[in-house]
Amino acid sequence: MEIYLPIAEISQNIFFLLSIGFVAGILSGMFGVGGGFLTTPILILSGVPPAVAVGSEANHIVGSSLTGFLNYFRRKNVDLLMGGILLAGGVLGSASGVYLFRFLSLRGRIEEVISYTYILFLTAVGLYMLFESLKTRKKKKLGNLMKLHDHSWIHGLPLRIKFRRSKLYISVLPPILISYFVGILASIMGVGGGFILVPAMIYLLGMSTQVVIWTSLMQVLFVSITSTIMHAYVNQTVDIILSSLLLFGGVFGVQMGALIVQKISGEVLRMLLGIIIICLCLFLISELIIDPNSFFIVDILK
Amino acid sequence: MKIIILSIHIFFLFNIFLNSKEIIIADISDNKIDIDVGFKGAKLLFFGVIDNQGDIVVSVTGPRKAVKVRKKEKKMGLWINSDLKVFYDVPTYYYVASTKPLNELNADQALLVNQVGIKNIRFEGAEEKEEKERDFWKSGIINTMIKSKRYFSEEGYINISDKRLFKTELNFSAELTDGEYLVNTLLIKNGNVIAARRSFINVSKSGYGEKIYKMAMENSFLYGLMSVLFAMIFGFTVHETIRRVNA
C-alpha cells in the first residue's frame, strides 16, 4: 500500500515505513538512543530526499525519545544538573547545525557530508563500544575489583562541579563542548545524537550506564525539538506524514526494547549496540564502493 | 456509464468538427489531476477526430524546471560527487504515444523541431561544456528521469478507428510535479506536420497533502511547532497506554 508524502513529494510503502519505525523503537527502548542513526540512512537509500529524511527524522525522534524519557523518569535515574548543562550545549549546537546544513545543501555537498560523517562516527563509536565491552567482560570474569571510572586529562580541567547522581567531580567544559558538538551533528545527520552522547558520557566523562540512558534521552528530546522547529523554519523539510508513520511503527518497538533491557547486563547491551553500529557502517561503506545504478543525481529545483 | 458519457462527448465533438475547419479536434477525459495523500498515479483518456489521414503523435510534457545535476565519479575506489551543473527548462515529466513507432514515421526533422520523442527533448544550461560532454550529461539526466518514473522510455499506442476517430490512454506515474502539463497533438503526413493542437492538464496537490504542503511552505515556524507538539502528544499517549496495559 503506497502513501504520498507531501513534503518529500514521493510515494512510499506504508508497511515499509512502519517497520523501520518498529526497529528504531526497539533500539530506543533498549539503548536510550532515538534510533535516528539507523532510520535516516535507510530512508535516504529508499529514495526520500536527504534533506527531508533528516528533517522528518528529527520530528520522529521527538516522539520516540519522549516515550523513553517518561519510562525512565519513573525509575529516578536522573542527573538533573548534568542533564541541564548538556541541554544548554545541545540546543545551541543543534541551532547552529541547521544553518550549516543549509549552507552545505546550497553548495550541493550535503549528501556526501551526511554519508561521510555517518561512516566516520559509526566506525569510531561502534568499534570503541565493542572492544570496551569485551574488555569489561574479561575483567569481570577474572573477578578484578573495578574502579568507578578511569581518571584522564579530562578530569583535570578547571571549573569543576560536583555531580551527585553521577558520582562525578569534573569541569563543566567537557559536557558543554561535547553536547554542543553532538547538537551540530544531530542537525546534520538527522539523529538525536544519543548514539554519540551515550558512549561519550560513559567513556569520556565516566558516568554509569544507568544514569546515562535517562540523561541522554533528555538531551535527545530537547535537541530534536530544537532541530525539528529549525529544520521546518529554515529548510521546510519536515514531512509530518512520514514522521507520524515512523512514530506509529515505533510504539510496539519501544515497549519490546524496554523489556529486553531488563534481562540483559550493561556490557552485553553495549556490545550489541556496537555490533549493530558496525553492521550499518559496513553497509554504508559498501554503498560508496559498489557501482551506483545511476551515475547522475538529479534534483528538481522549486 | 463512462462509455455512454464518452460516446455522447465524441458525438458532440464530431458535430463541432463537421461545422468547423479544424483538422484536429481532441479532448481529455479530465483536464486536472489531484495529488492527494493516497495518490498512486493516474490514467486519462485522450481522444479526438482528424480530418485528414495521417499519423498522430501525442506528447505530454510536465512543467519545465531548473534541475541541479551532480555527476558521480570513482576516485581511489570510492564513488564521490565530482561535478555540479544546473540545467534549465528541463521537463519534469515526459510521455509520448503515436499510431506508429516514432522511427517509422520518417519525420525525424519534424519530430526534432517539435521536441517529440525522448531523444529530442531540449534543455538549456551548462553551455560552457563541449557538445559531446554536454550530450553525456543530458543523456544522464534523461536516464535518471526514466529510472525515477518521470519519463517513459516506451512509447504508448494510439488507436485509430474509422480512419478519423482516435483514442489513447495517457499514463501518469505517482512522481508528478504540480503545475501545467502540455499535451501536444501532431498530425503527420509524408514527414511533415500538417496540423497541431495543444491541450493542458492541470496537476495540483489537493486534500491533506495540499494543506500540509501549503502550511509547511507558508507558515513554516508554526508548522514546525505543530509537528513537535503532535509528536509529543503521540509519545505521551504511547507512554500512558503502555503503562496502563502493564499495570
Side-chain angles (χ1 to χ4, degrees):
Chain A
M1 211 163 88
E2 300 273 298
I3 187 160
Y4 182 77
L5 308 170
I7 306 295
E9 303 193 292
I10 57 157
S11 291
Q12 273 283 14
N13 188 301
I14 289 187
F15 300 106
F16 171 68
L17 296 176
L18 288 176
S19 38
I20 304 179
F22 178 72
V23 176
I26 293 184
L27 287 177
S28 72
M30 277 175 78
F31 304 115
V33 294
F37 71 92
L38 190 76
T39 321
T40 312
I42 294 177
L43 285 178
I44 294 175
L45 292 172
S46 76
V48 175
V52 179
V54 167
S56 314
E57 185 49 35
N59 192 22
H60 165 221
I61 295 168
V62 172
S64 65
S65 59
L66 182 68
T67 308
F69 175 83
L70 293 171
N71 279 338
Y72 282 97
F73 192 65
R74 299 188 178 277
R75 294 182 208 156
K76 301 260 167 24
N77 275 322
V78 180
D79 190 333
L80 275 179
L81 183 59
M82 180 60 98
I85 288 175
L86 290 173
L87 204 68
V91 169
L92 282 178
S94 105
S96 357
V98 171
Y99 283 102
L100 184 60
F101 187 94
R102 186 181 175 77
F103 172 76
L104 288 169
S105 48
L106 288 177
R107 304 199 61 186
R109 289 276 166 219
I110 191 70
E111 283 88 349
E112 278 172 308
V113 174
I114 290 176
S115 164
Y116 285 110
T117 13
Y118 262 102
I119 290 173
L120 186 72
F121 281 96
L122 293 179
T123 320
V125 171
L127 286 178
Y128 198 89
M129 288 189 101
L130 196 60
F131 283 119
E132 191 279 340
S133 59
L134 287 175
K135 214 170 79 188
T136 318
R137 232 176 132 75
K138 222 172 166 183
K139 264 192 196 164
K140 261 197 182 169
K141 270 190 188 149
L142 291 173
N144 280 358
L145 273 175
M146 288 207 308
K147 265 198 287 181
L148 206 53
H149 51 81
D150 292 322
H151 275 263
S152 63
W153 59 271
I154 285 175
H155 297 91
L157 291 170
L159 291 173
R160 289 214 207 182
I161 293 184
K162 259 205 178 86
F163 297 97
R164 280 176 196 280
R165 268 279 172 197
S166 314
K167 296 182 186 124
L168 283 177
Y169 180 53
I170 56 163
S171 155
V172 292
L173 293 177
I176 286 188
L177 287 178
I178 289 171
S179 59
Y180 180 77
F181 185 63
V182 168
I184 292 181
L185 287 177
S187 293
I188 290 184
M189 299 166 76
V191 294
F195 80 102
I196 300 167
L197 201 61
V198 169
M201 286 194 290
I202 298 176
Y203 305 123
L204 293 179
L205 303 182
M207 291 165 70
S208 79
T209 312
Q210 297 307 316
V211 184
V212 159
I213 292 185
W214 188 87
T215 316
S216 147
L217 275 170
M218 176 166 143
Q219 146 102 4
V220 167
L221 176 62
F222 284 94
V223 164
S224 58
I225 289 176
T226 320
S227 158
T228 305
I229 295 175
M230 294 296 283
H231 271 299
Y233 183 58
V234 179
N235 302 318
Q236 286 97 40
T237 48
V238 177
D239 197 311
I240 195 167
I241 303 271
L242 176 57
S243 52
S244 307
L245 283 171
L246 293 174
L247 271 177
F248 203 75
V251 175
F252 310 100
V254 173
Q255 186 60 3
M256 193 180 230
L259 282 177
I260 297 173
V261 84
Q262 287 165 11
K263 305 211 160 86
I264 307 180
S265 69
E267 68 271 8
V268 177
L269 214 61
R270 262 138 47 200
M271 192 167 73
L272 279 178
L273 186 55
I275 292 172
I276 295 176
I277 290 175
I278 287 167
C279 288
L280 179 67
C281 194
L282 288 176
F283 180 68
L284 288 178
I285 292 174
S286 76
E287 283 289 310
L288 283 181
I289 297 172
I290 296 168
D291 290 3
N293 67 14
S294 179
F295 300 109
F296 290 90
I297 304 172
V298 177
D299 284 328
I300 294 166
L301 303 175
K302 293 262 152 69
Chain B
M1 189 62 195
K2 229 177 163 181
I3 295 168
I4 300 172
I5 295 174
L6 197 65
S7 325
I8 298 171
H9 209 119
I10 292 180
F11 177 74
F12 274 108
L13 272 182
F14 206 74
N15 266 337
I16 299 168
F17 175 67
L18 289 176
N19 299 325
S20 71
K21 291 190 178 73
E22 300 265 5
I23 301 175
I24 309 177
I25 285 189
D27 204 356
I28 313 166
S29 57
D30 199 349
N31 57 9
K32 70 184 202 342
I33 296 176
D34 295 330
I35 309 179
D36 205 343
V37 170
F39 186 69
K40 278 186 289 194
K43 280 187 171 168
L44 297 183
L45 194 63
F46 185 72
F47 53 90
V49 200
I50 46 169
D51 178 27
N52 215 315
Q53 281 186 38
D55 288 299
I56 300 163
V57 182
V58 179
S59 61
V60 182
T61 314
R64 288 174 180 261
K65 300 262 168 162
V67 298
K68 199 165 66 180
V69 189
R70 271 158 301 147
K71 193 167 74 169
K72 288 190 168 186
E73 220 168 82
K74 205 164 193 175
K75 274 186 187 158
M76 296 185 297
L78 298 176
W79 285 100
I80 59 158
N81 300 340
S82 62
D83 208 351
L84 171 78
K85 287 278 162 264
V86 177
F87 286 80
Y88 301 94
D89 290 335
V90 180
T92 48
Y93 204 79
Y94 195 81
Y95 175 76
V96 70
S98 59
T99 44
K100 255 190 224 165
L102 294 183
N103 51 11
E104 289 173 24
L105 288 174
N106 279 326
D108 291 351
Q109 194 57 39
L111 294 181
L112 182 67
V113 171
N114 288 289
Q115 301 196 45
V116 174
I118 280 193
K119 283 186 214 118
N120 297 330
I121 304 171
R122 278 194 299 269
F123 33 79
E124 313 294 320
E127 264 77 23
E128 75 282 5
K129 295 264 178 204
E130 278 179 38
E131 199 174 329
K132 205 176 160 192
E133 210 197 327
R134 206 175 167 272
D135 283 347
F136 180 62
W137 278 71
K138 204 184 131 180
S139 65
I141 297 176
I142 291 173
N143 284 334
T144 313
M145 291 294 214
I146 291 172
K147 271 177 193 145
S148 60
K149 293 183 187 154
R150 286 176 174 274
Y151 288 8
F152 286 78
S153 56
E154 275 179 36
E155 292 153 21
Y157 179 70
I158 299 179
N159 187 16
I160 295 194
S161 51
D162 296 338
K163 291 180 182 172
R164 302 182 83 179
L165 294 173
F166 67 87
K167 68 168 192 245
T168 186
E169 210 161 48
L170 303 179
N171 277 317
F172 293 90
S173 68
E175 311 294 323
L176 293 185
T177 303
D178 48 340
E180 204 164 56
Y181 285 58
L182 168 68
V183 183
N184 200 7
T185 316
L186 301 177
L187 180 61
I188 294 177
K189 200 173 181 182
N190 304 327
N192 292 313
V193 175
I194 58 170
R197 193 179 172 90
R198 295 180 150 213
S199 333
F200 294 94
I201 299 170
N202 195 24
V203 175
S204 56
K205 296 188 184 194
S206 76
Y208 289 110
E210 190 231 357
K211 285 194 187 101
I212 291 172
Y213 184 82
K214 250 196 165 160
M215 179 156 188
M217 295 301 151
E218 288 163 13
N219 280 320
S220 23
F221 189 72
L222 194 65
Y223 174 81
L225 282 180
M226 262 184 53
S227 311
V228 165
L229 195 68
F230 183 80
M232 288 187 82
I233 292 171
F234 196 94
F236 183 74
T237 319
V238 170
H239 168 76
E240 283 298 305
T241 322
I242 287 173
R243 206 167 57 92
R244 297 228 171 107
V245 169
N246 286 358

Short mmCIF file of all heavy atoms in Angstrom, two decimals, chain A residues 79 82 148-149 151 154-164 166-172 205-207:
data_model
loop_
_atom_site.label_atom_id
_atom_site.label_comp_id
_atom_site.label_asym_id
_atom_site.label_seq_id
_atom_site.Cartn_x
_atom_site.Cartn_y
_atom_site.Cartn_z
N ASP A 79 20.18 12.67 36.54
CA ASP A 79 21.12 13.68 36.99
C ASP A 79 20.68 15.00 36.36
O ASP A 79 21.07 15.31 35.25
CB ASP A 79 22.55 13.32 36.57
CG ASP A 79 23.56 14.24 37.24
OD1 ASP A 79 23.17 15.39 37.55
OD2 ASP A 79 24.70 13.83 37.44
N MET A 82 23.57 17.59 35.42
CA MET A 82 24.28 17.18 34.21
C MET A 82 23.36 17.34 32.99
O MET A 82 23.76 17.86 31.96
CB MET A 82 24.73 15.72 34.36
CG MET A 82 25.47 15.18 33.17
SD MET A 82 26.96 16.11 32.79
CE MET A 82 28.20 15.09 33.56
N LEU A 148 35.63 3.09 39.93
CA LEU A 148 34.39 3.69 39.48
C LEU A 148 34.53 4.12 38.02
O LEU A 148 33.70 3.88 37.18
CB LEU A 148 34.06 4.90 40.36
CG LEU A 148 32.59 5.26 40.46
CD1 LEU A 148 31.77 4.05 40.89
CD2 LEU A 148 32.42 6.40 41.43
N HIS A 149 35.63 4.80 37.74
CA HIS A 149 35.96 5.15 36.37
C HIS A 149 37.43 5.50 36.30
O HIS A 149 38.06 5.80 37.32
CB HIS A 149 35.11 6.32 35.85
CG HIS A 149 35.11 7.50 36.77
ND1 HIS A 149 36.11 8.42 36.79
CD2 HIS A 149 34.22 7.90 37.72
CE1 HIS A 149 35.84 9.34 37.69
NE2 HIS A 149 34.70 9.04 38.28
N HIS A 151 40.65 7.80 35.56
CA HIS A 151 40.88 9.24 35.50
C HIS A 151 41.77 9.60 34.33
O HIS A 151 42.78 8.99 34.08
CB HIS A 151 41.53 9.73 36.81
CG HIS A 151 40.52 10.01 37.84
ND1 HIS A 151 40.03 11.25 38.10
CD2 HIS A 151 39.85 9.17 38.68
CE1 HIS A 151 39.11 11.18 39.05
NE2 HIS A 151 38.99 9.91 39.42
N ILE A 154 40.83 14.77 31.09
CA ILE A 154 39.54 15.47 31.11
C ILE A 154 39.11 15.83 32.53
O ILE A 154 38.51 16.86 32.78
CB ILE A 154 38.47 14.59 30.42
CG1 ILE A 154 38.70 14.64 28.92
CG2 ILE A 154 37.05 15.03 30.77
CD1 ILE A 154 37.83 13.75 28.12
N HIS A 155 39.47 14.97 33.46
CA HIS A 155 39.08 15.22 34.84
C HIS A 155 39.95 16.28 35.51
O HIS A 155 39.68 16.66 36.65
CB HIS A 155 39.11 13.91 35.64
CG HIS A 155 38.12 12.93 35.12
ND1 HIS A 155 38.44 12.01 34.15
CD2 HIS A 155 36.82 12.75 35.40
CE1 HIS A 155 37.37 11.30 33.88
NE2 HIS A 155 36.37 11.72 34.61
N GLY A 156 40.98 16.76 34.81
CA GLY A 156 41.85 17.76 35.40
C GLY A 156 41.56 19.19 34.97
O GLY A 156 42.25 20.12 35.38
N LEU A 157 40.54 19.40 34.15
CA LEU A 157 40.23 20.74 33.65
C LEU A 157 39.62 21.62 34.75
O LEU A 157 39.06 21.11 35.71
CB LEU A 157 39.25 20.64 32.47
CG LEU A 157 39.82 20.04 31.19
CD1 LEU A 157 38.71 19.76 30.20
CD2 LEU A 157 40.86 20.97 30.58
N PRO A 158 39.74 22.97 34.57
CA PRO A 158 39.20 23.88 35.60
C PRO A 158 37.66 23.94 35.59
O PRO A 158 37.04 23.30 34.78
CB PRO A 158 39.79 25.23 35.20
CG PRO A 158 40.04 25.13 33.74
CD PRO A 158 40.42 23.70 33.49
N LEU A 159 37.11 24.78 36.49
CA LEU A 159 35.66 24.97 36.64
C LEU A 159 34.97 23.69 37.05
O LEU A 159 33.98 23.26 36.48
CB LEU A 159 35.02 25.50 35.34
CG LEU A 159 35.34 26.91 34.89
CD1 LEU A 159 34.76 27.17 33.52
CD2 LEU A 159 34.83 27.92 35.89
N ARG A 160 35.48 23.05 38.07
CA ARG A 160 34.91 21.77 38.48
C ARG A 160 33.60 21.91 39.24
O ARG A 160 33.40 22.85 39.99
CB ARG A 160 35.92 21.07 39.38
CG ARG A 160 37.12 20.57 38.63
CD ARG A 160 37.51 19.35 39.29
NE ARG A 160 38.90 19.02 39.19
CZ ARG A 160 39.36 17.89 39.75
NH1 ARG A 160 38.55 17.14 40.45
NH2 ARG A 160 40.60 17.58 39.61
N ILE A 161 32.71 20.98 39.03
CA ILE A 161 31.42 20.97 39.73
C ILE A 161 31.17 19.55 40.22
O ILE A 161 31.62 18.60 39.61
CB ILE A 161 30.27 21.38 38.77
CG1 ILE A 161 30.41 22.85 38.36
CG2 ILE A 161 28.90 21.16 39.39
CD1 ILE A 161 29.28 23.33 37.51
N LYS A 162 30.43 19.45 41.35
CA LYS A 162 30.07 18.11 41.84
C LYS A 162 28.76 17.67 41.22
O LYS A 162 27.77 18.38 41.26
CB LYS A 162 29.91 18.15 43.36
CG LYS A 162 31.10 17.62 44.09
CD LYS A 162 30.72 17.11 45.47
CE LYS A 162 31.93 16.54 46.15
NZ LYS A 162 32.73 17.57 46.87
N PHE A 163 28.74 16.49 40.57
CA PHE A 163 27.50 15.91 40.07
C PHE A 163 27.19 14.72 40.97
O PHE A 163 27.79 13.66 40.84
CB PHE A 163 27.68 15.45 38.61
CG PHE A 163 27.97 16.58 37.66
CD1 PHE A 163 29.28 16.87 37.28
CD2 PHE A 163 26.93 17.34 37.13
CE1 PHE A 163 29.55 17.91 36.42
CE2 PHE A 163 27.21 18.39 36.26
CZ PHE A 163 28.52 18.66 35.90
N ARG A 164 26.24 14.93 41.91
CA ARG A 164 25.99 13.90 42.92
C ARG A 164 25.51 12.58 42.35
O ARG A 164 26.06 11.52 42.62
CB ARG A 164 24.96 14.41 43.93
CG ARG A 164 25.60 15.33 44.94
CD ARG A 164 24.56 15.90 45.88
NE ARG A 164 25.15 17.04 46.56
CZ ARG A 164 25.96 16.93 47.61
NH1 ARG A 164 26.25 15.74 48.06
NH2 ARG A 164 26.47 17.99 48.18
N SER A 166 25.69 11.33 39.40
CA SER A 166 26.64 10.63 38.55
C SER A 166 27.91 10.27 39.30
O SER A 166 28.79 9.64 38.74
CB SER A 166 27.00 11.50 37.34
OG SER A 166 25.85 12.04 36.77
N LYS A 167 27.99 10.68 40.55
CA LYS A 167 29.19 10.45 41.37
C LYS A 167 30.44 10.95 40.66
O LYS A 167 31.40 10.21 40.47
CB LYS A 167 29.33 8.96 41.70
CG LYS A 167 28.18 8.45 42.57
CD LYS A 167 28.38 6.98 42.90
CE LYS A 167 27.16 6.44 43.63
NZ LYS A 167 26.58 5.27 42.99
N LEU A 168 30.37 12.22 40.22
CA LEU A 168 31.49 12.80 39.48
C LEU A 168 31.87 14.15 40.07
O LEU A 168 31.02 14.86 40.62
CB LEU A 168 31.09 13.04 38.02
CG LEU A 168 31.04 11.86 37.06
CD1 LEU A 168 30.56 12.34 35.71
CD2 LEU A 168 32.41 11.23 36.95
N TYR A 169 33.13 14.51 39.95
CA TYR A 169 33.58 15.85 40.31
C TYR A 169 34.47 16.31 39.17
O TYR A 169 35.67 16.06 39.17
CB TYR A 169 34.33 15.82 41.65
CG TYR A 169 34.83 17.17 42.11
CD1 TYR A 169 33.95 18.26 42.20
CD2 TYR A 169 36.16 17.36 42.47
CE1 TYR A 169 34.41 19.49 42.62
CE2 TYR A 169 36.63 18.60 42.90
CZ TYR A 169 35.74 19.66 42.97
OH TYR A 169 36.18 20.89 43.38
N ILE A 170 33.85 16.92 38.16
CA ILE A 170 34.62 17.30 36.97
C ILE A 170 34.29 18.72 36.50
O ILE A 170 33.34 19.33 36.98
CB ILE A 170 34.38 16.35 35.77
CG1 ILE A 170 32.88 16.29 35.46
CG2 ILE A 170 34.94 14.98 36.02
CD1 ILE A 170 32.58 15.73 34.10
N SER A 171 35.07 19.19 35.54
CA SER A 171 34.86 20.52 34.97
C SER A 171 33.60 20.54 34.11
O SER A 171 33.20 19.52 33.54
CB SER A 171 36.08 20.86 34.11
OG SER A 171 35.73 21.80 33.14
N VAL A 172 32.92 21.71 34.03
CA VAL A 172 31.71 21.81 33.19
C VAL A 172 32.06 21.90 31.71
O VAL A 172 31.19 21.75 30.86
CB VAL A 172 30.82 23.02 33.55
CG1 VAL A 172 30.19 22.83 34.90
CG2 VAL A 172 31.59 24.31 33.45
N LEU A 205 33.33 10.99 30.16
CA LEU A 205 33.02 11.61 31.44
C LEU A 205 33.04 10.62 32.58
O LEU A 205 33.16 11.00 33.74
CB LEU A 205 31.65 12.31 31.38
CG LEU A 205 31.46 13.37 30.29
CD1 LEU A 205 30.09 13.99 30.40
CD2 LEU A 205 32.54 14.44 30.39
N GLY A 206 32.87 9.33 32.27
CA GLY A 206 32.91 8.32 33.31
C GLY A 206 31.62 8.15 34.09
O GLY A 206 31.64 7.78 35.26
N MET A 207 30.48 8.43 33.45
CA MET A 207 29.20 8.24 34.14
C MET A 207 28.78 6.77 34.03
O MET A 207 29.24 6.05 33.17
CB MET A 207 28.13 9.13 33.51
CG MET A 207 28.35 10.60 33.78
SD MET A 207 27.36 11.64 32.69
CE MET A 207 25.72 11.34 33.31
#
